[in-house]
Amino acid sequence: MSRTAWLITVLVVSLLGGLGYWLSQHLEKREIELPTGLQGEAATNPLLAAQRFLTTTGIASTHVEETARLFSRLGRDDVLLISSDRQTLGQQRTAALLDWVDEGGRLIVTVAHLSDEEQPLQDPLLEILGLNLQHHDEDLSEYADFLDVDWPGATDFMRIQIHPRYFIEGTQAGDLTITNDWGAVLVRRQLGEGSITVITDLDFIQFLRIGEYDHAAFLWYLVDGQGPVWLLSHNDMPSLWQWLWQHAPEMMTAVLLWLVLWLWSRGRRFGPRLSEAPPVRRRILEHVDANGRFLWQQKQSRQLVTAVRKHLMALAATRHPGWGAMSHEEQAELLAGPGQHTGTSVRHLLRETDIPHQHEFTRTIRQLEMIRKQL
């Protein structure tokens, strides 16, 4: 290796060594944990932590996803907690829930959060109870993000996080309520042998928030410390027709009117029905004539005459023994016979040439047909 190459190698190694030393003095190795998000059932069941907490306290709890099959499984003393907005529950199922509560069931529900600019959603349950949800836009910077709750039976105040912008109006004298500075955030009302609890926010029992403040303890008191508890966190998927009637009633009305008018127009008839005409069948000669006209227009007259000639020669071969051994002159003389044709004219007819004029084409075909009939 030359001296220049050695110098370059030493210089590169020195630079790399110096860079490594500088990085070791100025960079620090740290280990951090990145959140990977919820996995498995926790990703689809926001009440999984609440369900496992209740189970560890000895309260039987079950998570369900469909209300259709739930009503047949509810017992008289069971607890049904619905953390969704119940928009697909409907009038019929709401009435069934109220009948179940009247027999001893305990129902816990929340409400849909809407701002003043949004159209309020219809809530059949709140309408029957005479309650309505209100929203305020006051500055909350001076208020704490938690609420101290004094619940009957609890030994001390419980601290929970309930959304402060919503409150419930329409409470009655016998209702158990939890209030903030603007109104009630929880209303429990006795109905027959059971009770209905309406709370403005149930997010504090979802996912990992149940481990904050006194959320787990408040959930235990909310279900009265006994079960079985049924946890419902999702709305049922409405049918296509229900969804269309809810979101596009004008379009559905127009479609139904069009369908009625179409059926009415198709159903009108004056007099007896006309019998269908029998199918028209063409003769084979018409097809042959049409085929010939097409070939003539496409300048294929030679093809038509060649077909007639081949048919004539094949027929002559069957009528005259030794036809194949004859020369063209002998065949022409034999075909001419005692008739009006001579050997020369027959040889001309059998020779393949172009026929440019229609009258010549007709004459050639007629003469070939006359020879064929004389065989």
Side-chain angles (χ1 to χ4, degrees):
M1 183 180 295
S2 64
R3 184 177 180 181
T4 304
W6 277 107
L7 291 176
I8 294 175
T9 302
V10 171
L11 180 61
V12 171
V13 172
S14 300
L15 290 175
L16 292 177
L19 179 62
Y21 177 77
W22 184 86
L23 291 176
S24 64
Q25 296 298 318
H26 292 80
L27 298 182
E28 180 182 357
K29 182 180 179 181
R30 293 183 181 180
E31 293 184 1
I32 60 174
E33 295 183 1
L34 298 177
T36 58
L38 299 173
Q39 303 293 327
E41 186 180 356
T44 58
N45 179 11
L47 300 181
L48 179 62
Q51 177 184 352
R52 293 185 176 179
F53 164 73
L54 294 175
T55 302
T56 56
T57 60
I59 301 175
S61 59
T62 305
H63 178 259
V64 292
E65 296 184 355
E66 296 182 1
T67 58
R69 301 179 181 179
L70 175 62
F71 293 145
S72 60
R73 303 166 61 183
L74 288 174
R76 295 185 57 182
D77 298 326
D78 293 357
V79 178
L80 175 58
L81 188 149
I82 305 177
S83 62
S84 64
D85 55 17
R86 298 170 286 106
Q87 289 303 307
T88 59
L89 200 59
Q91 296 279 356
Q92 185 176 1
R93 292 181 181 178
T94 299
L97 277 180
L98 292 177
D99 293 339
W100 168 73
V101 170
D102 189 66
E103 295 178 357
R106 291 167 291 160
L107 178 63
I108 304 172
V109 298
T110 187
V111 293
H113 292 175
L114 299 173
S115 62
D116 290 340
E117 293 77 12
E118 295 178 299
Q119 184 68 23
L121 299 177
Q122 184 179 7
D123 194 327
L125 182 61
L126 295 185
E127 292 177 0
I128 294 175
L129 297 177
L131 303 175
N132 58 84
L133 181 68
Q134 297 295 331
H135 171 270
H136 69 88
D137 292 322
E138 297 186 23
D139 184 14
L140 301 176
S141 58
E142 298 180 358
Y143 293 86
D145 61 349
F146 57 84
L147 186 65
D148 289 328
V149 176
D150 183 16
W151 190 262
T155 57
D156 198 358
F157 284 92
M158 290 179 291
R159 181 167 294 178
I160 60 175
Q161 283 184 315
I162 296 182
H163 206 295
R165 291 196 179 277
Y166 302 92
F167 60 95
I168 302 173
E169 290 184 343
T171 58
Q172 299 178 359
D175 295 340
L176 173 63
T177 61
I178 296 177
T179 61
N180 58 14
D181 293 345
W182 297 274
V185 295
L186 181 146
V187 177
R188 169 168 288 186
R189 180 175 299 177
Q190 292 298 128
L191 184 64
E193 299 294 329
S195 64
I196 297 179
T197 303
V198 181
I199 185 170
T200 59
D201 185 13
L202 275 176
D203 291 344
F204 63 89
I205 66 171
Q206 295 186 5
F207 300 124
L208 301 179
R209 290 191 60 189
I210 194 173
E212 301 174 354
Y213 295 103
D214 298 315
H215 295 167
F218 184 70
L219 174 62
W220 189 88
Y221 282 104
L222 200 60
V223 301
D224 300 325
Q226 56 183 343
V229 178
W230 303 89
L231 303 173
L232 181 63
S233 58
H234 298 90
N235 289 327
D236 289 342
M237 186 64 184
S239 64
L240 177 61
W241 295 112
Q242 291 178 349
W243 187 90
L244 288 174
W245 275 113
Q246 181 179 0
H247 293 85
E250 297 84 1
M251 184 191 72
M252 292 298 296
T253 304
V255 169
L256 286 179
L257 289 176
W258 177 84
L259 180 60
V260 170
L261 291 175
W262 181 80
L263 292 175
W264 175 74
S265 64
R266 298 293 296 180
R268 292 185 303 167
R269 179 169 59 86
F270 297 97
R273 292 177 60 90
L274 296 177
S275 59
E276 296 183 0
V280 178
R281 298 182 179 272
R282 294 185 177 273
R283 296 182 301 168
I284 187 64
L285 293 179
E286 296 182 11
H287 294 281
V288 174
D289 179 69
N291 188 29
R293 291 180 181 275
F294 173 77
L295 292 175
W296 177 261
Q297 292 174 358
Q298 299 299 320
K299 308 301 182 182
Q300 300 293 328
S301 59
R302 175 181 293 185
Q303 181 177 353
L304 292 173
V305 177
T306 300
V308 177
R309 288 193 184 107
K310 288 183 178 181
H311 179 67
L312 175 61
M313 300 297 284
L315 182 61
T318 59
R319 300 292 176 84
H320 299 283
W323 177 267
M326 297 180 185
S327 63
H328 293 294
E329 290 75 9
E330 293 175 345
Q331 292 177 352
E333 292 294 338
L334 182 60
L335 291 176
Q340 302 176 357
H341 303 282
T342 63
T344 303
S345 63
V346 171
R347 284 194 300 271
H348 179 73
L349 290 175
L350 297 179
R351 186 169 59 247
E352 294 186 3
T353 56
D354 292 332
I355 304 176
H357 302 291
Q358 184 176 0
H359 66 276
E360 185 178 353
F361 169 77
T362 305
R363 181 176 58 83
T364 302
I365 295 298
R366 185 183 301 112
Q367 291 177 354
L368 290 173
E369 283 295 308
M370 292 175 60
I371 296 174
R372 182 185 64 82
K373 293 178 181 180
Q374 293 176 3
L375 293 177

